[in-house]
Amino acid sequence: PVVKALIAINLIVYLVQFSSETYDRQIVSTLGLHYFTSEKFNPIQLLSYLFVHGSFRHLFSNMLGLFFLGPMLERLWGEKRFLLFYFITGAGGGLFYMALKYYDYAALETATQAYIQHPNLQLFKQFLVEFYPSGIPYEALSLIPASGDVTLNESVLIAEESLRGVLNTPTIGAIVS
C-alpha cells in the first residue's frame, strides 16, 4: 500500500506539473530542492523534491525502480519502516547533493567574485567557457543584447545573474536517471 501511495502521489504531482507550463515552473521552484543558501530554499524541500520530475522518462524510470524494489522492502520491513526508510534516504540524498554542490558552487562563486572585482571582456569569454560549458543559465541569457556584443558592465551583470541562476536551480526526483 505504501509503494502504491507513493507512486500515486508522484503521478498526481506529475499530472498537475505538466498540465501547464506555469504549474510546472511553480512546482519545480517550490518543491524542488534548492541549495541551502538560496533564497528559494525551504527545509521541507529535502522531502518534497522526491515527488517532482523533469519529464515522463524521468518519472517512469523512478517509478519503475520503486515498483520493483519497494514492495520487497515494504513486505520485509512493514509499511511504517519502509516509509521511514524512503524519506530518510531521500533526505540523505538531498543532503549529499548539497555537499557536492557546495564544492561546485564555492569554486564558481570564487571565480565569479574574482571576475566582478577585475572585469575584462577577454577574461569573460574564458570564464564562460570554463564555468558554463553547456551555456549560461536562462536568466542570464536574457541579459545579452540582441547584437551579442556585451559591454564590460553587462558582463558583470551576466556573471552575477549566472551565479544566481546556478544557485537557484533545484534538483528534482528521487533517483537520478
Side-chain angles (χ1 to χ4, degrees), residues 115 119-129 152 155:
Y115 178 78
N120 175 308
L121 287 179
Q122 292 288 10
L123 294 177
F124 183 63
K125 292 175 185 176
Q126 184 181 8
F127 168 77
L128 291 180
V129 168
L152 198 59
S155 74

Side-chain angles (χ1 to χ4, degrees), residues 13-24:
V13 170
Y14 179 80
L15 291 173
V16 172
Q17 186 181 346
F18 285 95
S19 66
S20 83
E21 197 172 309
T22 302
Y23 286 159
D24 183 33

Side-chain angles (χ1 to χ4, degrees), residues 45-87:
Q45 293 169 350
L46 284 166
L47 298 179
S48 64
Y49 85 100
L50 299 169
F51 299 100
V52 184
H53 296 84
S55 66
F56 180 75
R57 182 175 172 261
H58 184 203
L59 173 76
F60 182 76
S61 63
N62 277 237
M63 294 306 99
L64 193 62
L66 182 59
F67 179 79
F68 283 112
L69 297 174
M72 291 184 286
L73 295 175
E74 187 177 349
R75 277 192 301 275
L76 180 67
W77 293 337
E79 296 170 13
K80 290 179 184 178
R81 195 166 169 203
F82 171 73
L83 190 58
L84 184 64
F85 170 79
Y86 184 82
F87 285 126

Side-chain angles (χ1 to χ4, degrees), residues 7 12 31 34 40 55 71 84 101 126-127 143 160:
I7 290 173
I12 291 167
L31 301 179
H34 290 86
K40 295 182 178 185
S55 66
L84 184 64
K101 189 157 183 163
Q126 184 181 8
F127 168 77
L143 298 174
E160 290 172 335

